[in-house]
Amino acid sequence: MVSKLTEGELDGLGARLRELRARKGLGLREVAARAKVNHGYLSQLERGEVAQPAPSMLQKLARGYDEPFIVLMRWAGYIEDGPISANQARALSYMGEDLSDQELAAIKAVLAAIRSKRAQFSCLESLDGELPREEIIRIRSQVLALLRKADAYGQIPTPISQVMDVAQLVSAGEITLEPEERRQLRHVFGDLVDRVLSRLQGVIHFRSGEVWINPEMHPMRQRFVQAHEIGHDVLPWHRELFAYLDDRSRLRPDVRNRYEREANQAAIELLAHGDQLRREADDSALDMSIISELASRYSISIEAGARRIVEESRQECALAVAYRGSATGELMPHHLYCSQPFELRFRWKATSCASLVVSQILHTAERGEPLEPLIFSDAEGRAATLEADSAKTRRAVLVVFTVVPAARSRIRKVIELVAQGV
């Protein structure tokens, strides 16, 4: 005989779901399979450890528990008792899917019908840019504190699930739409729905601590996106802002972009364990084989790992990355990253003096041709020999530049002269 919960015990969503499942004679794993969510997540939800699932998750739970979606929305506190319009229901159903500014503008009329102040989301955007050194140090201190609290500092690669547990975040599953859901949305919004889904990589629900990930991304990209969402949560000034902001579009674009860059920085700090990846890289003369080996060991993409190593390195080195266009596969304009010693000596970023040469070398690497050493003048007008080493991935072409020590450069010159019979 299933014991009935008192009215007070039924106040929470988790308790209601637990009582509902028991009354229907359903097992936890059976409900999880029907809802297509992790059974561990359901267990946490029924114990009340998930404060308030997002509407998109409640849709899945409605299927799993065989209960109307609107009932679960009321139990979760999103809506009061009483009738609800079709537009309100549609808006509620998809408030769990965070949108970029463009997509948000396209469907704002629907979402405006019933906007919840309890659901704050963040979406990883493709942003490039630098942060002041003091800001990086501040972010690093927060991330390292979390790693130590999770007893994960020094565990390579970073145990993301272990860190999420300590941060009280829950992996809520994948960002997906059922065929019928997609069809209904397309009827209203056209192919905008597909563009939203393709660009949506990760979502965090700040109130409930739920994190969603796009399942179509490469596993290493998924790790970075998870780390990005953890970054939003671990930085106190992010939590404080999003706790009281009912609409991210209220942020000025420059502020919103800065917050996304800060979350990106927190992600790489989490995956690289602060300065640990850099220290390992600086133990050897830098080339793409070293970078590739370390990126693999830390479970970071070679693009993100190479940038991290070069920007933090104490060696004189630079990195050029040209990403491929998603439609054409052609190389796009390159990004250039330099270690501090390299930039102080050659001023590549400050002057853009090497831009044309770097672009040519990237296209040479793309064709698979050998890269010859490069003779380049530093800021003092002194000639230096730079070695270039390349790697090609599905997403990009990378070239790392390192300075050949003067003694080795002179020996190489002598060998070349001897070979020429001089």
Side-chain angles (χ1 to χ4, degrees):
M1 182 74 176
V2 177
S3 60
K4 296 290 183 180
L5 298 175
T6 66
E7 185 175 351
E9 291 174 320
L10 278 173
D11 285 344
L13 172 66
R16 289 177 182 268
L17 291 177
R18 187 172 68 249
E19 196 275 343
L20 177 66
R21 179 172 59 80
R23 179 157 38 87
K24 293 186 175 185
L26 300 172
L28 194 66
R29 290 181 182 272
E30 181 183 358
V31 173
R34 288 164 50 170
K36 297 183 180 179
V37 300
N38 185 278
H39 74 276
Y41 170 78
L42 281 191
S43 179
Q44 290 177 302
L45 177 63
E46 290 192 356
R47 292 198 303 268
E49 295 178 11
V50 178
Q52 186 182 51
S56 59
M57 175 57 71
L58 290 177
Q59 276 194 309
K60 296 181 179 181
L61 296 177
R63 290 193 296 270
Y65 287 89
D66 192 25
E67 193 72 5
F69 168 67
I70 296 302
V71 172
L72 268 62
M73 290 293 291
R74 290 194 173 103
W75 287 357
Y78 281 101
I79 56 176
E80 304 295 332
D81 290 337
I84 181 171
S85 71
N87 276 350
Q88 287 176 325
R90 185 180 295 113
L92 279 169
S93 301
Y94 292 97
M95 285 188 65
E97 309 291 334
D98 187 37
L99 308 172
S100 69
D101 291 343
Q102 296 84 357
E103 287 80 26
L104 183 61
I107 64 170
K108 199 165 186 178
V110 176
L111 292 179
I114 183 163
R115 178 184 295 140
S116 169
K117 294 186 178 182
R118 302 170 189 168
Q120 308 303 331
F121 298 91
S122 173
C123 177
L124 177 66
E125 300 174 16
S126 178
L127 294 170
D128 193 55
E130 297 180 353
L131 294 170
R133 189 63 192 174
E134 59 272 17
E135 185 72 7
I136 292 174
I137 293 172
R138 183 163 71 133
I139 292 171
R140 180 175 297 177
S141 68
Q142 295 290 335
V143 170
L144 292 181
L146 175 61
L147 281 170
R148 293 189 178 98
K149 183 178 179 182
D151 197 24
Y153 183 70
Q155 290 191 46
I156 309 298
T158 303
I160 293 293
S161 59
Q162 184 174 325
V163 175
M164 288 184 66
D165 286 344
V166 172
Q168 296 185 328
L169 296 174
V170 178
S171 181
E174 302 173 345
I175 305 171
T176 57
L177 287 178
E178 297 296 331
E180 179 60 21
E181 295 171 329
R182 192 183 293 252
R183 187 193 65 77
Q184 291 176 358
L185 280 179
R186 278 178 177 159
H187 180 71
V188 179
F189 304 120
D191 62 2
L192 181 61
V193 174
D194 299 306
R195 296 205 299 273
V196 169
L197 290 174
S198 67
R199 293 214 292 266
L200 190 62
Q201 300 180 51
V203 178
I204 181 171
H205 187 299
F206 280 93
R207 294 286 181 155
S208 67
E210 296 169 311
V211 175
W212 288 264
I213 297 296
N214 188 329
E216 297 180 3
M217 292 185 295
H218 187 278
M220 285 192 182
R221 185 62 175 168
Q222 292 187 33
R223 280 175 56 81
F224 190 90
V225 172
Q226 285 178 304
H228 175 100
E229 303 304 345
I230 293 172
H232 274 306
D233 184 76
V234 76
L235 301 178
W237 55 98
H238 285 217
R239 289 199 307 270
E240 290 167 3
L241 174 67
F242 290 118
Y244 297 101
L245 193 68
D246 65 326
D247 185 352
R248 288 180 69 242
S249 67
R250 295 180 189 272
L251 286 175
R252 294 200 321 267
D254 61 317
V255 175
R256 183 167 58 251
N257 288 346
R258 178 167 59 83
Y259 271 53
E260 295 305 309
R261 289 193 184 100
E262 289 174 350
N264 279 351
Q265 185 67 38
I268 196 63
E269 297 290 346
L270 184 69
L271 297 174
H273 288 241
D275 202 32
Q276 187 166 327
L277 173 59
R278 192 277 307 167
R279 292 198 305 270
E280 288 195 44
D282 276 352
D283 283 342
S284 307
L286 202 59
D287 58 25
M288 286 309 307
S289 65
I290 293 292
I291 290 173
S292 178
E293 178 184 333
L294 286 172
S296 177
R297 195 167 83 81
Y298 278 75
S299 287
I300 304 173
S301 71
I302 191 171
E303 297 91 353
R307 176 179 177 180
R308 173 65 175 195
I309 289 169
V310 166
E311 288 190 317
E312 294 285 315
S313 179
R314 307 292 170 82
Q315 302 183 45
E316 291 180 330
C317 56
L319 173 72
V321 182
Y323 288 93
R324 305 180 193 277
S326 58
T328 65
E330 298 293 325
L331 296 186
M332 297 188 291
H334 67 266
H335 300 261
L336 182 64
Y337 311 103
C338 301
S339 68
Q340 187 176 35
F342 187 97
E343 179 63 13
L344 287 173
R345 181 172 175 181
F346 293 97
R347 310 290 289 167
W348 274 18
K349 294 186 67 177
T351 62
S352 300
C353 59
S355 181
L356 179 58
V357 174
V358 168
S359 180
Q360 291 172 342
I361 291 176
L362 281 164
H363 282 88
T364 300
E366 166 70 347
R367 293 191 297 269
E369 299 174 8
L371 303 180
E372 298 294 332
L374 174 68
I375 306 300
F376 209 90
S377 295
D378 64 18
E380 300 295 328
R382 298 169 300 188
T385 302
L386 304 181
E387 284 187 332
D389 194 21
S390 66
K392 292 195 292 185
T393 71
R394 181 179 56 84
R395 298 180 61 232
V397 176
L398 305 88
V399 174
V400 63
F401 300 89
T402 54
V403 180
V404 178
R408 186 152 63 92
S409 181
R410 287 195 295 271
I411 292 172
R412 174 181 290 168
K413 186 63 176 178
V414 170
I415 293 173
E416 291 174 352
L417 291 174
V418 170
Q420 295 169 13
V422 178

